Amino acid sequence: MRSTRTIRGQVAVAGIGETTYYKHGQATEAEVTLALRAILSACEDAGLDPREVDGFASYSNDRNDPSRLAAALGLPALRFSNMQWGGGGGGGSAAVGNAAAAIAAGYADCVVVFRALAQGQFQRFGAAPPAATATGEAALTFPYGLISPAQRFAMRVMRFMHEHGIRQEAQRAIALASYHHAQSNPRAVMHGRPLTPEAYDASRWIVEPFRLFDCCLENDGAAALVLVSAERARDLRQPPAYLLGVAQGSEYRNGARGHNAPTYASASFTTVAPQLYAMAQVGPKDVDVVQSYENFTGGVLMSLIEHDLFAAEDANEVLTPDNLIAPKGRLPLNTSGGNLAECYMHGLELQIEAVRQIRRTSPNQVEGARVALVISGPMVTPVSSMILGGEETL
Amino acid sequence: MSVRASYLPAGLPRPLPEPDGLDAPYWDGTRIGELRVQRCRACRGWQWGPEWICHRCLAFDLEWTAVEARGRIYSWERAWHPVHPALRGHGPYIVTLVELPHAGGVRMVGNLIGDPMQTVEIGAAVEAVFEAHDDVTPPFTLVQWRRSV
């Protein structure tokens, strides 16, 4: 009898699809076309007729309306249409969880999770709005020149580094790992453009403690995952990547306005990570490979610690390039290049890389990878994270 | 203390009170050099940013209390990349998050005025500087911070 309050092992990622990743503003097709191409590519990868798709889930206020997509694809019916509420890129794993819940509950059978961006066609993501006045939370921050996402998060990281004596080199190691992995990934935007510690140290400050190379790219493109029941996935083309656990949310008053979250120096996972591991029935020591959303490297730092992969007081020792690089590192991280060096598809590309690790098809494969952790956008609310596992983990 | 000199260049978004009146008392206070924070009449809990409901006891009965305009640096950042056209060519500036231990530990965002390249110490004592902007309609005042001597 299936347990009713978990999705562990009930749903799998059966297909993955991506378009080319362009520099921002340089997509050669309309944003909705990119979305459609990624969705069709994911169905092809799975060996599924696209007309089987009966639901969509997304996050970060994606512009591509499910009813439009369903009509464009000639789907027989739409049975699930879901946007994760709030949290921007923090919602990527939650979108997968929401899709999985729909399948487990019987609302739909074949749900696509997608994200499509063509920023040149719309206002730049994260750009300062041109309004002359600000009210509410913005009135407490914009007049002081605190406007951009980098600036909204930098004080959290600054406080965390102060509290735990963490050095800039810890952030640098995260950047170096992403760039290193991109060099084996021909699809990565930074493929052929490696990063050295010297180049990192010489790069300009964006907002201390973030240098240029601590910050994610901006890209156009689209990515999609197709989710079906575990039983269905076993009949399809690829080895299933089973969803073992998902969790979303944030801790007490994380959303308190004006930077008044009581647990301020946080990536927002202190209550989410324990819930994730409890559902997945694995612990941090069982995790073979990690994809952790680098809006900014400082967010990854806190994410990894809040997922108990190491203690804050050990961060300076653990976060070295050698430890983070596949296949030999003790904590292989962002193994296709991540948001810093593969592309910034708001973390969906990280989720796709986690699937590849389970399938054993990554350009930086961790030998025998069975448990893949994905941490979505940190330092926002709500955040989310998920764990995928191979057949042997069921 | 009040000043007219502006830490940042003109042209940044100007603050306006919310249409529902929630934060009007705060902004009114800044115009007369008062730092006001919400306090619940029912449970005496402090609250910032403003809300209509007390997060501790859930009463809709909050008053505004003037507090000593001083605090401690809780965190900070030094911004270099211009995030608004008005900041192009301006150079680095410091944003700080100041904790008010005497007001329940609520924290306020402002600028740390003075040398933009000063060494910033988390925990350092600071005092508020009310920065008046009288030449716009409606006029407004920002709450800045500087190291206490």
Side-chain angles (χ1 to χ4, degrees):
Chain A
M1 165 87 97
R2 276 192 340 190
S3 169
T4 55
R5 295 203 73 210
T6 177
I7 46 85
R8 188 186 197 281
Q10 297 182 37
V11 176
V13 179
I16 55 179
E18 307 171 280
T19 64
T20 300
Y21 292 122
Y22 305 91
K23 288 194 166 165
H24 95 94
Q26 294 188 13
T28 56
E29 295 187 300
E31 188 178 82
V32 67
T33 302
L34 297 172
L36 291 165
R37 290 206 190 279
I39 292 166
L40 291 171
S41 175
C43 292
E44 163 80 34
D45 178 62
L48 266 174
D49 181 342
R51 312 308 170 124
E52 280 202 50
V53 173
D54 60 0
F56 295 98
S58 193
Y59 60 104
S60 199
N61 297 326
D62 194 272
R63 279 178 286 259
N64 299 284
D65 177 76
S67 294
R68 178 182 184 182
L69 296 173
L73 293 167
L75 302 184
L78 182 63
R79 297 165 67 209
F80 187 63
S81 175
N82 182 267
M83 175 60 67
Q84 172 67 4
W85 197 350
S93 296
V96 171
N98 297 339
I103 293 168
Y107 300 156
D109 295 322
C110 181
V111 181
V112 165
V113 177
F114 72 93
R115 184 80 178 103
L117 280 173
Q119 294 191 72
Q121 296 163 24
F122 305 92
Q123 188 183 40
R124 188 175 185 183
F125 189 82
T133 59
T135 57
E137 167 105 20
L140 297 176
T141 52
F142 288 12
Y144 302 102
L146 195 169
I147 298 174
S148 71
Q151 293 176 304
R152 283 207 291 280
F153 302 136
M155 292 202 288
R156 285 184 168 229
V157 177
M158 192 70 92
R159 177 77 192 189
F160 190 86
M161 292 171 81
H162 168 82
E163 285 178 355
H164 301 288
I166 298 176
R167 295 191 294 265
Q168 191 73 22
E169 287 80 1
Q171 290 195 147
R172 185 178 73 182
I174 292 164
L176 291 172
S178 287
Y179 270 80
H180 175 92
H181 291 133
Q183 303 319 307
S184 330
N185 176 7
R187 288 168 293 100
V189 171
M190 290 298 169
H191 180 70
R193 297 174 59 184
L195 179 65
T196 64
E198 295 73 28
Y200 173 95
D201 291 344
S203 69
R204 62 189 172 94
W205 291 112
I206 301 300
V207 51
E208 295 176 44
F210 303 144
R211 291 190 180 275
L212 177 67
F213 290 110
D214 291 308
C215 306
C216 60
L217 299 170
E218 292 180 87
N219 296 108
D220 293 351
L225 309 174
V226 179
L227 274 64
V228 295
S229 72
E231 293 81 6
R232 179 91 176 92
R234 290 185 190 106
D235 292 338
L236 293 174
R237 182 175 290 161
Q238 306 289 353
Y242 298 99
L243 192 55
L244 299 183
V246 180
Q248 61 170 274
S250 59
E251 63 275 279
Y252 174 69
R253 300 195 74 237
N254 182 299
R257 303 215 291 173
H259 293 246
N260 274 262
T263 305
Y264 183 68
S266 165
S268 312
F269 289 100
T270 63
T271 50
V272 172
Q275 190 170 347
L276 170 69
Y277 286 125
M279 180 180 283
Q281 294 171 29
V282 302
K285 285 197 288 292
D286 301 312
V287 172
D288 295 313
V289 58
V290 182
Q291 315 301 325
S292 184
Y293 188 118
E294 327 94 298
N295 37 16
F296 306 98
T297 53
V300 175
L301 167 71
M302 297 192 291
S303 297
L304 299 176
I305 289 165
E306 288 173 5
H307 281 80
D308 242 344
L309 293 162
F310 54 89
E313 60 257 27
D314 297 330
N316 291 321
E317 286 66 52
V318 172
L319 292 175
T320 65
D322 281 350
N323 282 340
L324 302 179
I325 282 169
K328 296 254 184 329
R330 63 181 261 196
L331 186 60
L333 178 67
N334 294 335
T335 50
S336 54
N339 287 346
L340 298 181
E342 177 177 23
C343 71
Y344 185 40
M345 199 41 52
H346 296 170
L348 200 44
E349 85 288 354
L350 298 173
Q351 292 166 282
I352 286 178
E353 172 62 8
V355 171
R356 283 195 211 98
Q357 286 284 348
I358 298 297
R359 292 178 179 181
R360 315 284 166 77
T361 61
S362 167
N364 294 290
Q365 183 64 44
V366 173
E367 200 180 314
R370 303 169 347 129
V371 177
L373 170 64
V374 182
I375 306 173
S376 296
M379 306 182 285
V380 293
T381 178
V383 295
S384 60
S385 50
M386 70 182 202
I387 292 176
L388 298 176
E391 190 82 44
E392 56 283 89
T393 61
L394 296 181
Chain B
M1 182 202 168
S2 296
V3 294
R4 289 223 158 67
S6 177
Y7 179 72
L8 291 174
L12 287 174
R14 306 189 308 273
L16 285 180
E18 296 239 56
D20 66 0
L22 173 62
D23 57 9
Y26 167 79
W27 292 108
D28 292 343
T30 61
R31 292 297 290 159
I32 59 169
E34 270 189 16
L35 190 61
R36 295 176 184 166
V37 178
Q38 283 187 315
R39 195 160 200 198
C40 178
R41 287 196 185 90
C43 78
R44 310 308 293 147
W46 297 93
Q47 180 157 281
W48 187 253
E51 285 290 3
W52 289 109
I53 192 172
C54 171
H55 70 267
R56 275 176 224 269
C57 74
L58 305 185
F60 288 90
D61 194 14
L62 290 148
E63 64 187 357
W64 288 87
T65 303
V67 300
E68 283 181 58
R70 56 175 177 81
R72 285 198 300 244
I73 293 176
Y74 188 82
S75 192
W76 65 281
E77 64 192 33
R78 184 177 285 119
W80 291 76
H81 180 76
V83 294
H84 189 282
L87 291 166
R88 282 200 196 112
H90 174 72
Y93 59 94
I94 300 172
V95 180
T96 184
L97 185 62
V98 173
E99 177 185 36
L100 277 57
H102 52 290
V106 302
R107 309 189 205 111
M108 297 200 170
V109 175
N111 294 123
L112 185 66
I113 63 177
D115 179 5
M117 296 308 298
Q118 65 183 282
T119 299
V120 184
E121 284 174 38
I122 286 177
V126 290
E127 58 195 28
V129 175
F130 291 87
E131 183 187 282
H133 294 248
D134 298 330
D135 50 343
V136 290
T137 303
F140 65 93
T141 296
L142 299 181
V143 181
Q144 304 291 26
W145 300 90
R146 67 166 178 207
R147 289 287 300 265
S148 302
V149 189

